[in-house]
Amino acid sequence: MLLNRDNSGNRWHLRPDGVGKVTGQLQYLTDMTLPDMIHGRVLRSSYPYARILSIDITGAEAMEGIFAVLTFKDVPGLNRFGIATPDQPVFCEDVVRYVGDAIAAVAADSPERAALAMESIKVEYEEWTPLDSTEAALAPGAPELHEHGPGNVLHRTEIKRGSVDEGFAACEYIVSETYYTPRQMHAYMETEGGLFVPDESGRLHVYAATQHGYKDRMQLSRIIGCPEEDIRVVSSPIGGSFGGKDELNVQPYGALLALRCGRPVKMHNSRKESVRAGLKRHPMKIEMQTGISREGMIQAHRVRITADTGAYATLGAPVLNFCTEHCLGPYSIPHVDVEGISVYTNNGVSGEFRGFGGNQAIFAMEGQMDRLAEMMNMDPWEFRRRNMREKTDPGPLNQRILVTDGLSQVWEAMDRSELWQKRKHQNSPEVLALPPWIKRGVGAAIAMHGAGLGYGIPDPAGGRLSLNAEGKIEVAFSYEEFGQGLIATLEMMLCDLFQCSTSDLSIIIGDTDRVPHSGSSTASRSTTMAWMALQRLQTPFRSKILSAASALSGIPADELITGIGGVWWQGQIAPEVTANDTKINSRFVVSYVDLAKHGETEDWIFDTQFEYPTTPDNVVGGHYLYTYAAVAAEVEVNTLTGEAKLLDTRHVVAAGPVINPMGFIGQIEGGSVMALGFTLTEDAVMQDSHYITSNLDTYLIPTIRDIHTNLEIEAIEDLPEGDSFGPRGIGEIGSVALAPAITAAIHQATGVWVNRLPVPRDQLIKPLDVPLQKGVSSS
Amino acid sequence: MTVPLSSCWTAVVNGEEKHLQIAQTTRLVDVLRTNLNLTGTKVSCEVGRCGACMVLMDGEPVNSCLVMAYQCVGSEITTIEGLHGEKEDELHPIQQAFLEEGGFQCGYCTPGMVISTKALLDRYPQPSQEQIETGLCGNLCRCTGYGGILRAVRTAGETCLNSSLLTTVVKKVNDQ
C-alpha cells in the first residue's frame, strides 16, 4: 500500500505528545530548572593525545560563585563508563586520547562563572603526535592507546565459507573496489544535557536523555559507588537521538557535581561541545572483491572492513559485527572471505548510529552489484534477483532466520514501480530538453536489515499492564520517546486490543522508578517488543477485568467485552452496532474507575519478561528477524557545479503491519533524508584529530531546499501466517539503502562510479562537450 | 521605582510589556528562556543556522541567539507561547496543521519551524514551493525529513487564508 494520510483513513492518529510540541509547552529535560540550581560545565582536553603532567584547580576553587571543581580524584567509584566496554574515563587521570576527553568539571552559580572558572584551571600536558587514522594506529611501532591491546585493535570479525581462491578462479568477471564512508554526525537538535537533583533522602534524580534508562542507572551507580536504587533516571522526552545519546554523556558530571554540592545542577552542552565530545557514525574503509560466473551468479566475495572507532570502545565491536553480517547483502554466495577490524585512534569517538554499520556495508555491497551488472551488460535489478537468497536459505552468517517473503516482495514492488521503469526511458523528451550540462539517472538498491541486538548479547524485553488506581489502563515500558512516535504507537496498540479510547489510557515510559526493566529503545526493537509484551499480557489482564465485572454485574464473563470507559455487555448486540455507538449505552456494565476500586492494587498488575527473538544458532551477533527494503532514486547532476539533486525517491518497506502510519511515514522520510545527508553533504571532518567542522554552519545536514522533490513510501504489511512477532521496527530501515541508489543513479547520469561518501563534487564536474556559439571564445 | 535607563530592558513579549534588569549584551534567547522562563524557544546551534530559537521581532523572523538585548529594546517579540487560535486556549491554524500532518517528531525544532511558517504565511498567504523553501531553509529539522512539515505548511496556508490570525499586529512600546 502506498502510505500517506489519505490511504491511512482513521488510522491517521494524532500524537498524544503533539500539542505540547507544537505549542512549545512541552518541557524537555534540558528546559527544566529549579530555583536553587547551579550550572555545571566540563573542561575537556586541549589535545587529542597527550600525557597530563599536572592539573591545578586551586585558582578555580577560590573564585567567587564556584561550588565545586572535580577531577579524577573525586570519583568515588569506577572512573570509567561505556555500555559494553567501560573504558572511557569520567575524568582522565594521566593520558588524554581525544579532544572530548574530560579533565575536570565545575559547578557555579551561573554558566558564565562556570566558564570563567574553567579558564583558570591549569593543565600541563606533554603533547604527543596523535594517531589520526587507522593506518597510523595500525603502523608497526604505533603507541598503544589502551592497555588491553594487542596493538590498537578493538575488535576483529571474520566470516569464511568455501574457498574464495577457488571461487575467484572460476569467475568470468571480478569487480574490485574500495569504498569510503564519512564520519556522520547525529545532529540531534537538542544537545546533551539535563538536570541532576539530589533529594533529602539521599537519592539522586537524573533528568537526562538516554535510550536505556536502566543502563544509565547501572553505570552511574558504578561511578558514584552507590546502590542502583539510590538513583532514579528520568529520560524522556528527548529532542532526538538516533543512537547518539545511548552512551552516557553529561550524566557522570551532573551526577557527581550534584552530589558534591547537595544542590540541583543543570548541564547543557553547547553545540560545539556536543560535536567535540559526542559520538559519530564510524568512518569505514571497505575493500570488496566480488566475482561472478558467465551466467551472472556470484561465486566469490572477499571483504576487508576497517572501522575507525576513535578513542574509546563504546559499541564499536557490535557495530563492526553488524557491518560484517550485512556486507554480504541479501545474496547467496558460496565462497566468502570477510575480515573486519575496528581500530582505536585519537579521532572522535565513533559509536551507535541509526543503521548501526549497515549503511556502510550496504553502500559497498550494492555498489558491487551495480558494477557487476554493468560489466556483464545486465539489468541491475535482474542481476540482483538472480543472486538473491531464497526465503528458506540461512541468513548471512549461515544462521537460521525467520522465513518471510519480504525480500522478493520488495524486489517485485520496486520492479513494477513507475520510478524504476523510468530508468529505461532516459531519452524521453523531458530529459532531452534539459540543458546539456544537466544529466539525469535512476538507481536502485535492496537491503535486508537485522533487528534486535543479535545472538549472544543480552536483549531483555518485557512490560507491565495494569489497571491503576485512577481506573486507567496503564502500560509501563523502559523505552524512550525521542521523537519516533512510540507513545502514539502504544496508544494505538492498546486501543486496538481493548477497544477503549485514548482517555482510558495511561502510558508510562522513561522513568526507572515507574517502569519495569524491558530493555533499550535501540536496534529497531521497541515496536516489536511492546507488541509482543502486550500479546502476552492481554489475556490475563482482560480475564481479570471481565471476571471482576462479571462478579459485580452477574453477567457471564464470556458475554462481556472491554470497551470505551469500561466493560460492556455484548449479548444480543446487532452486528452493525459497535461498542461506541450511543444506541447501546444501556449495555454499559461497569467503568474502569469503579473496577479499580475492587481488590488490592497488586491484583490489577500484570508483568512479563522475555528475550528479544534470536536465532537458535550459535552465531554471535546473528539476527533472526529482518526487515527488507528496496529504494529507487532519480538524481539530476549539474556537471558544471558537480551538484547532485535527488528528484524522486521510492522506498518499499516490508516490516509487517503498519500500526501507526504517521509514525511510519515520519521514520522512513526522516531516515531517507538523513541518508541523503550521509550521501551528499555530511562529513565531520577531522584534521590532526581536531574537528574542522564544529557546528551546523559547516557540517551540512539537509535543509528543506535540499530534499527529494518527491518521496513515496510503499508498505508491504504481509507476515507469515501465525507469525508471533508482529510489526517490525522501522527506525533504521529508511536510512540504510538510499546511498547506493543515489550513487547508481549518478552513474547512469554521468558514467562516474562513486566510491566515496559524501559524493565528491569534483568527480561530477565535466567539461562541456558542446559546440560554442558563434563569437564565444573557449579561452 | 525609577530604574536607571542603562540597565533596564523593556519590550513587549507576547503582548505583555516586560521590564528586566539585565546586561544589555544578554542574548535574546537567554532573556526568553532564562529570565522569562519561555522555554518554548529552543537553543541548539547558537550561531544562527538551525532556527530552533526563531522568534518574531516586530513581525520579522529572527534567530534569537543572534539578537542582543539592546537590539530589541522597545520591540514586540512573539515567541511560540504567543501563538494561539481565535481563542487563547485554541491552537493557531499553523500549530493545528503541524499536529495533523505529523510535521514534527522529536519536536525540538518545531517551535522555531512554526514561527518561521507564521512569518512566511504573513508575507505570502499562498506560498509557492520556492517561497516555502526560502522561508524555511533557515530552520533545520533532523527527524521528519521535512515531508510532514511541507504538508503542514501547505495545509496551514489553506486554512489560514481568510483568517484574521495571519498578520502579526506590530505594537511598539513607544506607541503606547
Side-chain angles (χ1 to χ4, degrees), chain A residues 2 12 17 34 58 152 181 220 225 238 387 484 490 516 589 736:
Chain A
L2 201 59
W12 195 255
D17 53 349
L34 280 172
T58 49
N152 288 308
T181 61
L220 285 173
I238 302 172
N387 285 287
Q484 78 276 41
L490 290 174
V589 176
V736 297

Side-chain angles (χ1 to χ4, degrees), chain A residues 278-481:
Chain A
L279 303 178
K280 309 289 179 295
R281 189 187 294 288
H282 283 77
M284 289 194 193
K285 172 186 172 189
I286 303 178
E287 300 161 271
M288 275 191 181
Q289 213 176 3
T290 313
I292 55 174
S293 66
R294 183 188 296 268
E295 294 75 30
M297 305 301 290
I298 304 177
Q299 299 301 311
H301 190 45
R302 182 181 282 128
V303 185
R304 297 291 178 265
I305 305 163
T306 311
D308 180 352
T309 206
Y312 299 104
T314 79
L315 294 182
V319 165
L320 183 67
N321 287 344
F322 198 92
C323 181
T324 305
E325 176 184 356
H326 286 72
C327 73
L328 306 180
Y331 305 110
S332 297
I333 311 175
H335 304 286
V336 173
D337 172 6
V338 183
E339 290 176 11
I341 184 169
S342 190
V343 183
Y344 285 118
T345 66
N346 293 115
N347 290 331
V349 179
S350 307
E352 175 181 341
F353 197 151
R354 192 183 210 171
F356 210 74
N359 319 50
Q360 297 95 320
I362 293 162
F363 166 60
M365 184 57 188
E366 291 297 280
Q368 291 292 94
M369 299 302 283
D370 284 319
R371 285 160 176 78
L372 286 164
E374 184 177 88
M375 204 172 237
M376 62 180 297
N377 200 23
M378 185 186 275
D379 175 79
W381 213 237
E382 171 58 21
F383 178 68
R384 283 171 171 79
R385 191 195 61 75
R386 284 192 187 194
N387 285 287
M388 264 163 28
R389 58 184 294 280
E390 297 293 329
K391 71 176 183 179
T392 53
D393 285 351
L397 301 174
N398 250 351
Q399 84 278 30
R400 273 173 281 175
I401 70 172
L402 189 77
V403 175
T404 78
D405 280 330
L407 184 61
S408 56
Q409 285 172 317
V410 298
W411 185 92
E412 282 163 20
M414 189 56 77
D415 191 50
R416 61 174 177 262
S417 75
E418 211 174 292
L419 178 53
W420 180 242
Q421 292 303 327
K422 251 175 137 175
R423 176 179 177 83
K424 296 168 186 162
H425 305 293
Q426 284 305 296
N427 294 322
S428 67
E430 187 191 0
V431 172
L432 292 174
L434 294 168
W437 56 87
I438 301 291
K439 310 288 183 191
R440 281 193 188 172
V442 178
I446 198 163
M448 66 190 289
H449 203 258
L453 305 186
Y455 183 90
I457 302 162
D459 199 359
R464 177 175 301 151
L465 185 59
S466 56
L467 190 64
N468 69 19
E470 289 78 46
K472 302 277 186 194
I473 298 173
E474 183 171 293
V475 284
F477 292 107
S478 65
Y479 306 139
E480 314 291 347
E481 175 63 70

Side-chain angles (χ1 to χ4, degrees), chain A residues 5 12 14-15 17-19 21-28 30-33 112 184-191 238-240 242 266 268-272 353-354 481-485 645 662-663 665-667 669-671 673-674 677 682 695-697 699-708 711, chain B residues 26 30 33-34 37-47 49-52 80-83 90-92 94-111 113-114 129-151 153-155:
Chain A
R5 183 178 176 176
W12 195 255
L14 301 194
R15 290 176 63 144
D17 53 349
V19 171
K21 288 180 174 176
V22 301
T23 58
Q25 297 299 324
L26 181 77
Q27 271 221 323
Y28 294 80
T30 51
D31 291 332
M32 295 176 71
T33 55
E112 293 79 12
Q184 191 181 21
M185 190 147 51
H186 301 78
Y188 27 74
M189 283 294 112
E190 183 193 33
T191 52
I238 302 172
F242 317 109
K266 179 163 182 159
H268 198 172
N269 278 351
S270 69
R271 176 63 62 179
K272 280 189 172 182
F353 197 151
R354 192 183 210 171
E481 175 63 70
F482 37 89
Q484 78 276 41
K645 170 86 180 157
M662 184 195 279
I665 291 170
Q667 286 295 289
E669 285 183 341
V673 169
M674 190 173 261
E682 294 184 32
N695 206 326
L696 300 174
D697 53 348
Y699 183 87
L700 302 177
I701 71 169
T703 75
I704 201 166
R705 282 203 97 102
D706 304 314
I707 59 166
H708 338 339
L711 192 162
Chain B
T26 310
D30 295 324
R33 283 177 61 86
T34 306
N37 199 27
L38 295 170
T39 54
T41 299
K42 301 303 180 193
V43 58
S44 184
C45 77
E46 304 180 81
V47 295
R49 177 63 199 97
C50 74
I80 188 70
E81 290 91 346
L83 241 58
E90 288 176 357
L91 293 181
H92 189 281
I94 294 171
Q95 293 168 320
Q96 187 68 32
F98 271 75
L99 184 65
E100 288 182 4
E101 298 291 347
F104 63 92
Q105 290 199 64
C106 87
Y108 203 78
C109 75
T110 311
M113 202 65 84
V114 168
Q129 177 72 17
E130 174 76 20
Q131 286 162 341
I132 295 175
E133 288 180 10
T134 305
L136 296 186
C137 72
N139 291 75
L140 298 178
C141 169
R142 190 58 155 171
C143 293
T144 66
Y146 303 102
I149 293 169
L150 266 173
R151 293 187 284 274
V153 173
R154 291 195 191 111
T155 304

Side-chain angles (χ1 to χ4, degrees), chain A residues 87-160:
Chain A
D87 69 349
Q88 183 158 0
V90 175
F91 295 110
C92 293
E93 302 101 345
D94 47 3
V95 174
V96 292
R97 298 179 185 83
Y98 88 119
V99 290
D101 259 333
I103 311 286
V106 172
D109 59 2
S110 73
E112 293 79 12
R113 279 223 171 104
L116 270 178
M118 288 213 308
E119 283 176 22
S120 69
I121 295 174
K122 295 186 174 64
V123 187
E124 284 186 316
Y125 300 91
E126 178 188 320
E127 193 184 350
W128 293 338
T129 305
L131 304 174
D132 63 353
S133 66
T134 54
E135 289 80 7
L138 293 174
E144 288 190 10
L145 297 179
H146 293 275
E147 289 169 0
H148 54 71
N152 288 308
V153 177
L154 164 67
H155 184 56
R156 287 181 192 274
T157 54
E158 192 177 279
I159 313 173
K160 309 264 178 177

Side-chain angles (χ1 to χ4, degrees), chain A residues 509-583:
Chain A
I509 58 162
D511 183 343
T512 54
D513 271 10
R514 300 178 71 199
V515 302
H517 199 319
S518 43
S520 62
S521 311
T522 52
S524 301
R525 71 192 289 292
S526 304
T527 299
T528 304
M529 290 298 85
W531 188 87
M532 288 178 69
L534 291 176
Q535 290 301 309
R536 283 163 167 73
L537 294 168
Q538 62 155 326
T539 305
F541 179 72
R542 183 183 283 112
S543 299
K544 168 72 183 167
I545 285 194
L546 297 186
S547 64
S550 173
L552 282 171
S553 65
I555 302 171
D558 60 5
E559 291 182 23
L560 297 173
I561 54 167
T562 58
I564 292 169
V567 175
W568 298 70
W569 179 51
Q570 60 170 350
Q572 316 266 323
I573 297 174
E576 69 273 12
V577 180
T578 60
N580 56 357
D581 194 317
T582 51
K583 279 185 282 187

Side-chain angles (χ1 to χ4, degrees), chain A residues 3-79:
Chain A
L3 204 59
N4 54 40
R5 183 178 176 176
D6 290 342
N7 291 347
S8 301
N10 60 11
R11 295 202 66 78
W12 195 255
H13 182 84
L14 301 194
R15 290 176 63 144
D17 53 349
V19 171
K21 288 180 174 176
V22 301
T23 58
Q25 297 299 324
L26 181 77
Q27 271 221 323
Y28 294 80
L29 303 170
T30 51
D31 291 332
M32 295 176 71
T33 55
L34 280 172
D36 56 346
M37 76 178 192
I38 52 179
H39 300 266
R41 292 280 297 267
V42 179
L43 177 72
R44 299 189 186 274
S45 173
S46 301
Y47 303 103
Y49 192 32
R51 176 186 297 283
I52 300 172
L53 300 174
S54 65
I55 306 169
D56 180 3
I57 59 171
T58 49
E61 282 181 313
M63 288 172 71
E64 192 189 344
I66 302 303
F67 285 75
V69 184
L70 307 182
T71 67
F72 69 92
K73 293 173 185 163
D74 302 295
V75 180
L78 178 71
N79 186 25

Side-chain angles (χ1 to χ4, degrees), chain A residues 163-321:
Chain A
S163 162
V164 279
D165 289 337
E166 283 175 29
F168 279 121
C171 285
E172 192 76 12
Y173 307 95
I174 298 172
V175 160
S176 298
E177 181 72 275
T178 303
Y179 299 87
Y180 300 88
T181 61
R183 188 185 311 278
Q184 191 181 21
M185 190 147 51
H186 301 78
Y188 27 74
M189 283 294 112
E190 183 193 33
T191 52
E192 308 83 354
L195 194 59
F196 300 80
V197 188
D199 72 16
E200 286 164 1
S201 70
R203 287 190 90 207
L204 177 69
H205 302 255
V206 172
Y207 300 89
T210 179
Q211 292 180 217
H212 198 170
Y214 274 98
K215 203 80 172 180
D216 278 19
R217 195 179 76 156
M218 182 274 285
Q219 294 196 74
L220 285 173
S221 81
R222 277 198 311 218
I223 292 166
I224 296 165
C226 71
E228 287 192 44
E229 293 69 31
D230 288 358
I231 303 169
R232 173 193 183 195
V233 173
V234 177
S235 38
S236 287
I238 302 172
S241 178
F242 317 109
K245 293 174 182 165
D246 205 11
E247 290 280 3
L248 293 181
N249 41 76
V250 297
Q251 291 92 334
Y253 313 105
L256 291 170
L257 288 170
L259 289 173
R260 169 64 69 90
C261 302
R263 295 173 68 135
V265 170
K266 179 163 182 159
M267 310 282 301
H268 198 172
N269 278 351
S270 69
R271 176 63 62 179
K272 280 189 172 182
E273 183 156 11
S274 174
V275 172
R276 177 179 189 170
L279 303 178
K280 309 289 179 295
R281 189 187 294 288
H282 283 77
M284 289 194 193
K285 172 186 172 189
I286 303 178
E287 300 161 271
M288 275 191 181
Q289 213 176 3
T290 313
I292 55 174
S293 66
R294 183 188 296 268
E295 294 75 30
M297 305 301 290
I298 304 177
Q299 299 301 311
H301 190 45
R302 182 181 282 128
V303 185
R304 297 291 178 265
I305 305 163
T306 311
D308 180 352
T309 206
Y312 299 104
T314 79
L315 294 182
V319 165
L320 183 67
N321 287 344

